[in-house]
Amino acid sequence: MSWTPSERQQERDAYRRSRARRSTAVAVVSTVALVAVAVLALTSSPGWPRVRASFFDWEVAQESFPAILEGLWLNIRVMAVSAVLIVVVAMALALARTLRGPVFFPVRALATGYVDVFRGLPLILVLLLVGFGLPGLRLQGIPTSAVALGTLALVLTYSAYVAEVFRAGIESVHPSQVAAARSLGLTRAQAMRHVVLPQAVRRVVPPLLNDLVALSKDSGLISILGAIDAVRAAQIETARYANFTPYVVAGVLFVALTIPLTRFTDVLARRSGWVGAQSSLAGGGALR
Amino acid sequence: MSPGRLRDPGLQHPPTLDPPLLSVRGVRKAFGDHVVLDGLSLDVRSHQVVVLIGASGSGKSTLLRCIDLLEDVDDGVIELEGQDITDPRLDANAVRARIGMVFQAYNLFPHLRVIDNVTLAPRLVHGTPPEQARADALAVLERVGLAAKAQAFPDELSGGQQQRVAIARALVAKPAVMLLDEVTSALDPELVGEVLSLLTELKSTGLTMVVATHEMGFAREVADEVCFLHEGRVHERGTPAQVLENPREERTREFLRRITG
């Protein structure tokens, strides 16, 4: 291409570059100022030396790190197993609610009732009821380990949320898609399987990953049943050193675990094709 | 299958002697208090192109959706090849599989490539082996001039191309009748021609079609019979020359005046 920008365009570009430099400078200054104020406010507070000693002890952090990391590995495994189970159960629930016909009335009613109940129950109550109630039944085949019961409670609660995400996705597919599929002779089930679900699942991937982030944190709640996960390990280390630093270490580890997930969600949500019509704005940048 | 479909179109009796391929008798359809079809009757014979005209809301789309069993009729009978398809005991999926429907907004499946849009029904509904379904799909895409776009996704195509894919998708199962619901209304004026000339070509192969349209030029050129829908019934019917050039009914004249400006 033999195009060279006109003088007017060069002048515009120069102006934009100078604005960009100015914006960067302003951002740096304001960030530094904010951090400085926050640090100053923290360190100049009267109790700071004691807080630093009991929450930010580098030696305790180093000593307790391996145990907490091992606990985190349990969180990761619980999260992975429950994520798979949640997606399966939630999809079954969402599909059950789309069934038509009088035969399926009990299935529909059960699925609706299940979602209503488990969306309303606080997770911590479900954990306590499942964790201490189920083994009390002394039934054959019911697991008694805190990890298995904790995972079960997570699956019970989260599949209710995720079922609603799937259902929203299914309902977001325009009825004309179903009309087109049915007009070709596809059955209701075939239309769901081959036309509605593929589109629905693509649309709900960002909110699903969002729930996965929440799950990764809530996996720490199984510690109340006695499972030695990162939170429980931090508790033990805290007691051992009579110092709260292990909690901070566990917190940092959880954040480090969820940040990649969060960023991945953002990227997916932005990627064209996932969000349909909005993709035409991608790359357009902010309007002046 | 009626004898009319097997016969070579060149050797057929005058159309009036054929039993109707599709017979709509006294069909009523209401949405709440709004009566859209009020005892409408209409016969379509094999190889005939029947064009439905009428104001927006006159029931053209509703009639086509009732014939394709996408809506249940409130009363009346629809017969396809002598079989009452409004009988609730009938397998509606099997009936729909014998009818091709093309929608105003194309309704292609956006997550499937063009070829997969066309092979979906043959594979799932008609049990065609994948290789055969693929060959059939490519052949019909060739007919609509889009074999080169087989691997494209619908949103990579122009509106006219998408509508031609939708026609191919309906055509591939060799339907007894094609229903076309304002298939050019969503297209840019310059793209209308490519779809209409495809329909003209399909008529020449003897395909039976019921076409709802606002394109009076197309109706004049292609229709064997034009039906003017008004107040939920066929208000006036006849050859394009009769209905479009010399309408007997005042309502028809008024409608034609309005749309031709």
Side-chain angles (χ1 to χ4, degrees):
Chain A
M1 294 290 265
S2 60
W3 171 70
T4 46
S6 67
E7 250 173 56
R8 172 170 293 197
Q9 185 60 32
Q10 288 178 17
E11 190 269 324
R12 284 179 192 151
D13 289 342
Y15 170 74
R16 287 197 185 111
R17 275 193 300 274
S18 81
R19 294 293 298 185
R21 276 195 301 271
R22 211 181 105 96
S23 302
T24 312
V26 170
V28 168
V29 169
S30 64
T31 307
V32 167
L34 184 68
V35 170
V37 167
V39 168
L40 264 178
L42 197 64
T43 54
S44 66
S45 58
W48 170 245
R50 284 187 55 198
V51 167
R52 189 180 58 184
S54 49
F55 283 87
F56 300 98
D57 187 319
W58 182 238
E59 252 169 51
V60 174
Q62 282 175 308
E63 301 267 315
S64 61
F65 183 79
I68 297 173
L69 192 65
E70 207 188 311
L72 191 75
W73 174 232
L74 178 65
N75 288 104
I76 292 172
R77 281 178 298 167
V78 165
M79 192 184 117
V81 171
S82 39
V84 172
L85 293 176
I86 286 163
V87 165
V88 172
V89 175
M91 181 58 89
L93 284 170
L95 287 177
R97 295 187 75 174
T98 68
L99 290 175
R100 298 284 173 83
V103 183
F104 296 114
F105 174 78
V107 182
R108 268 198 312 272
L110 269 178
T112 309
Y114 178 95
V115 170
D116 285 351
V117 168
F118 282 98
R119 271 206 311 177
L121 273 179
L123 174 57
I124 196 148
L125 281 183
V126 177
L127 271 162
L128 291 170
L129 291 174
V130 168
F132 299 125
L134 272 191
L137 292 175
R138 300 181 189 222
L139 281 172
Q140 284 280 309
I142 285 193
T144 47
S145 89
V147 174
L149 290 167
T151 304
L152 178 63
L154 285 171
V155 172
L156 285 174
T157 299
Y158 268 79
S159 45
Y161 285 106
V162 173
E164 286 300 278
V165 172
F166 279 136
R167 196 165 73 107
I170 288 169
E171 281 174 4
S172 78
V173 176
H174 197 270
S176 65
Q177 287 286 309
V178 177
R182 300 304 302 279
S183 83
L184 292 168
L186 272 68
T187 63
R188 191 186 295 280
Q190 285 173 325
M192 178 60 78
R193 158 82 182 78
H194 295 277
V195 173
V196 176
L197 277 188
Q199 299 183 55
V201 168
R202 254 166 255 220
R203 283 181 206 180
V204 299
V205 163
L208 275 186
L209 287 171
N210 194 40
D211 280 343
L212 190 63
V213 171
L215 174 68
S216 73
K217 297 180 305 176
D218 283 349
S219 69
L221 285 175
I222 64 170
S223 60
I224 63 165
L225 299 181
I228 303 183
D229 75 325
V231 174
R232 185 83 184 142
Q235 227 167 8
I236 294 168
E237 297 300 302
T238 296
R240 182 204 306 254
Y241 296 102
N243 186 296
F244 292 112
T245 305
Y247 285 144
V248 176
V249 172
V252 168
L253 284 175
F254 271 109
V255 171
L257 183 67
T258 53
I259 282 181
L261 274 175
T262 320
R263 284 294 95 78
F264 182 58
T265 312
D266 290 350
V267 169
L268 274 191
R270 225 178 290 129
R271 209 169 80 181
S272 64
W274 290 94
V275 279
Q278 290 159 26
S279 63
S280 60
L281 280 176
L287 287 179
R288 195 152 45 127
Chain B
M1 196 178 283
S2 81
R5 283 189 69 217
L6 295 171
R7 215 174 286 136
D8 176 3
L11 295 177
Q12 66 181 312
H13 292 289
T16 45
L17 296 182
D18 261 353
L21 175 78
L22 177 73
S23 178
V24 177
R25 292 199 302 272
V27 161
R28 180 191 151 90
K29 177 71 188 175
F31 296 99
D33 289 338
H34 180 51
V35 180
V36 182
L37 303 179
D38 189 12
L40 183 143
S41 295
L42 175 75
D43 278 354
V44 180
R45 291 168 201 287
S46 285
H47 314 299
Q48 214 187 6
V49 175
V50 172
V51 167
L52 310 175
I53 61 171
S56 296
S58 61
K60 304 186 294 290
S61 294
T62 303
L63 173 60
L64 294 180
R65 291 177 65 89
C66 284
I67 296 172
D68 202 22
L69 304 185
L70 294 173
E71 304 283 355
D72 281 330
V73 299
D74 295 338
D75 205 344
V77 175
I78 302 175
E79 283 182 358
L80 178 66
E81 297 175 319
Q83 183 184 34
D84 174 12
I85 60 172
T86 44
D87 183 343
R89 278 159 292 221
L90 218 61
D91 176 10
N93 298 317
V95 174
R96 291 189 198 100
R98 285 154 58 201
I99 300 175
M101 177 108 179
V102 184
F103 300 85
Q104 179 173 347
Y106 336 132
N107 297 11
L108 293 179
F109 306 128
H111 61 296
L112 297 178
R113 293 177 193 278
V114 164
I115 184 87
D116 299 321
N117 263 277
V118 180
T119 58
L120 188 70
R123 284 187 291 115
L124 294 179
V125 180
H126 303 275
T128 315
E131 276 315 302
Q132 183 62 43
R134 214 185 132 71
D136 292 350
L138 284 173
V140 71
L141 283 171
E142 185 75 49
R143 256 175 95 184
V144 303
L146 286 172
K149 298 286 187 187
Q151 294 304 319
F153 282 98
D155 64 2
E156 296 164 355
L157 303 179
S158 74
Q161 291 172 327
Q162 290 190 50
Q163 195 56 292
R164 279 148 63 200
V165 172
I167 291 171
R169 183 176 71 176
L171 210 53
V172 74
K174 301 191 170 54
V177 58
M178 284 273 276
L179 312 174
L180 298 107
D181 186 7
E182 305 206 14
V183 293
T184 59
S185 298
L187 297 177
D188 289 340
E190 55 178 330
L191 301 178
V192 169
E194 67 184 57
V195 171
L196 292 186
S197 65
L198 172 61
L199 296 185
T200 309
E201 193 222 301
L202 291 178
K203 176 193 160 76
S204 72
T205 67
L207 188 68
T208 311
M209 292 190 270
V210 184
V211 187
T213 189
H214 285 298
E215 297 285 335
M216 292 305 139
F218 172 74
R220 199 170 288 124
E221 208 174 301
V222 175
D224 296 306
E225 185 172 66
V226 175
C227 296
F228 171 64
L229 267 58
H230 180 66
E231 288 179 341
R233 292 162 183 255
V234 176
H235 195 69
E236 179 166 2
R237 70 199 304 168
T239 64
Q242 285 164 357
V243 178
L244 300 178
E245 314 299 339
N246 296 301
R248 292 186 309 270
E249 301 288 338
E250 175 52 33
R251 293 291 177 195
T252 317
R253 281 197 289 271
E254 193 183 303
F255 169 74
L256 290 171
R257 260 202 311 277
R258 233 185 10 244
I259 60 157
T260 51

